[in-house]
Structures are given as C-alpha cells and as structure tokens.
Amino acid sequence: MNDHPFDLALALALRAQGAPAEGRYQGASSAHYWNMVGPYGGITAATVMKAVMQHPDRLGEPVALTVNYVAALTLQPFTLVARIARTNRSTQHWTVEVTQVDDQGQPGVVVTATVLTAVRRLTWRQIDHPMPVTPPPEQVPLAKLVDGVAWLDRYEMRIVEGALPQIWDGKGEHSRTLLWMRDRPLRPLDFLSLASISDLFYPRVWLRRATRVPAGTVSMTVYFHASQTELAAAGTDHLLGLAQAQAYHDGFFDQSGQIWSRNGHLLVTTHQIVYYKE
C-alpha cells in the first residue's frame, strides 16, 4: 500500500524534522493530486490528519476535523506543525498550522486546522439519516470527468444523479448529487482516505445555477462516525456519497454531505463553506 499514489503523496508531505514528538514536518504537495490552482483540498485534509495520526502522543481515534484553506498551496516546500492543545481523560484537542514561503520569499500561513480525537466507548447507536435507495455501483456507469485535472484520476466515480451540467445555461433546478466513489487504484479505507474523499463533491453552485462560476472551499469540517475496525471492514469497496447545498448568500454558500459504506453504515458527515463569484 505504501506505493499507492495516495500514500506517496502523504509521505512526501510528512518528512519529519527533528524528533517526532515535536510534531513538526517538512514536505511538498503532490502532482498526483493537483487541482487547477493548487492541491486537491482532500489531500490537504488527509495530510493534516496524517500528522496527528502518526504522532506518538495521540490519544484515541479521530472524531472531528476542521480545515481552513487560508491560501492556495504551491509546489514549493511547506512546514506543518501539529500541537496538542489539551488532553483530557478520553479526548484530545489538536491545532495544526501549515506555512509556506511565497514567491517573494516571505513565509505565511496557508492552512489552519483543528482535530479532535477520543477513546470511544461502546454505547447506544442510531442512524437518523439512512442511506438512500440507489442502484448498486456495478449498475452505474463510470462518470466522464474533466480532462487535465490530476486529482480526478485518483478516484472512481459513478454518478447516480447530479452530474456536472452538460449545458451551462443558467437553468439549474437543484444542488443534489448522489454517487458511488472509491480510490483509484484501489486502496483499503482508513481515516486518511476517508478524510480526503469527504472533499470529493464539486461546488454545489455549479449544479444549482448551471453556471460555472469561480468557486473554492474556504473551510471544511468532517465528523467521523466509525472506528478503524469498521472502516477496515469496508475494504476497497465503493462508498455512497450524497451532497447538497443549503443557502447561497453574497459570495458564500454552505454544502453538506454524507458518506455511507455499501452496507448502510454512515461513516462521515461533512460540511463546507464555499466562496463563489457572480
């Protein structure tokens, strides 16, 4: 698995500087997950998560992750620092900051993040957002994706409804997308790949307006509802994702998403605030 493009990208981004307990890493973005003007946001989220997950003082498993995309990363080296803000009996709070030197040679913050980990205890369980009824992935054709965007080649997508508009005529009617998805090439599911795939949904404003305006995620939060054992049970199988926006207001809109395993376990709920231009 270490030669998978996903793991190679994270390994490039996490070359330790000094003792691991310092939580300080030096790295660079991966061309395998490059978007139009910077790295795919999901790989940045996974990089943040990897820094916490590999820290020797980490307590428990991820519960929540919030990533703020302060500025677009470039292909230049960056520094990542993961710090424990507080450790309680069963929970642990982290802050993460990524800095990078700009074209003028000045260092600046490009990403801030927080991570909550916890030692979970088996309690009452309930899912109030059941998985939608949909054809299995084997009956849904592969999506035709945009050429020339590297990160799109890293995922298999089978869109049940809500594909990118074929005609950009400003006559969109809804913002709902339902699709099956998984890593390409195949990779067993874990918290890192789940954090990354949580950002797979394209901006809802494109579907709702059927107008391709400039748009980009400013902040993304991911809530994890499964253990590593439960993620491992999903293996390399398809996941079902559902995304929809709530409101568009003066340059920003929010979109929410849910991701289930094929057996109906809700693995993740995710929320974003997205910037868009008229």
Side-chain angles (χ1 to χ4, degrees), residues 47-48 51-52 80-83 94-98 111-115:
T47 301
V48 168
V52 172
L80 183 153
V81 179
R83 298 185 178 92
W94 294 79
T95 62
V96 182
E97 184 175 271
V98 181
V111 173
T112 65
T114 59
V115 179

Side-chain angles (χ1 to χ4, degrees), residues 14-226:
L14 291 167
R15 291 192 291 267
Q17 302 295 301
E22 294 177 359
R24 181 179 295 271
Y25 307 95
Q26 189 78 29
S29 300
S30 168
H32 290 298
Y33 286 85
W34 200 251
N35 203 345
M36 291 175 284
V37 296
Y40 163 59
I43 201 69
T44 302
T47 301
V48 168
M49 183 63 71
K50 179 69 179 294
V52 172
M53 292 297 290
Q54 74 174 21
H55 198 287
D57 295 331
R58 171 178 57 87
L59 176 70
E61 295 183 337
V63 175
L65 162 70
T66 295
V67 182
N68 303 306
Y69 301 93
V70 179
L73 279 81
T74 69
L75 288 174
Q76 298 301 315
F78 62 77
T79 299
L80 183 153
V81 179
R83 298 185 178 92
I84 300 172
R86 186 181 179 100
T87 300
N88 298 317
R89 186 171 61 178
S90 60
T91 61
Q92 193 171 57
H93 299 265
W94 294 79
T95 62
V96 182
E97 184 175 271
V98 181
T99 58
Q100 190 172 53
V101 176
D102 62 21
D103 294 337
Q104 285 72 47
Q106 298 299 315
V109 176
V110 290
V111 173
T112 65
T114 59
V115 179
L116 168 65
T117 63
V119 177
R120 292 181 182 264
R121 293 173 175 81
L122 187 61
T123 61
W124 177 79
R125 291 184 172 193
Q126 174 64 31
I127 296 176
D128 282 351
H129 201 316
M131 185 170 73
V133 177
T134 183
E138 293 79 11
Q139 297 179 14
V140 180
L142 280 170
K144 295 180 180 179
L145 303 175
V146 178
D147 293 329
V149 181
W151 77 268
L152 292 175
D153 295 330
R154 304 280 72 83
Y155 292 100
E156 177 185 321
M157 304 183 207
R158 299 176 181 270
I159 300 176
V160 179
E161 62 174 289
L164 278 171
Q166 296 298 304
I167 302 175
W168 300 93
D169 59 1
K171 297 180 179 179
E173 297 180 350
H174 65 86
S175 64
R176 174 185 165 101
T177 291
L178 184 65
L179 78 160
W180 292 100
M181 52 193 179
R182 61 178 173 179
D183 285 290
R184 182 166 62 186
L186 299 182
R187 181 186 182 280
L189 188 65
D190 59 16
F191 285 111
L192 305 181
S193 57
L194 188 55
S196 182
I197 209 168
S198 294
D199 191 39
L200 186 139
F201 308 107
Y202 66 84
R204 302 291 87 203
V205 67
W206 292 353
L207 182 60
R208 181 63 182 86
R209 295 185 64 187
T211 302
R212 196 162 187 172
V213 299
T217 301
V218 179
S219 181
M220 176 178 73
T221 295
V222 180
Y223 298 114
F224 300 93
H225 306 298

Side-chain angles (χ1 to χ4, degrees), residues 249-271:
H249 179 69
D250 295 347
F252 294 90
F253 71 89
D254 68 318
Q255 65 183 47
S256 62
Q258 298 83 34
I259 298 176
W260 295 264
S261 62
R262 193 196 287 243
N263 67 5
H265 188 120
L266 183 60
L267 304 176
V268 150
T269 52
T270 180
H271 307 272

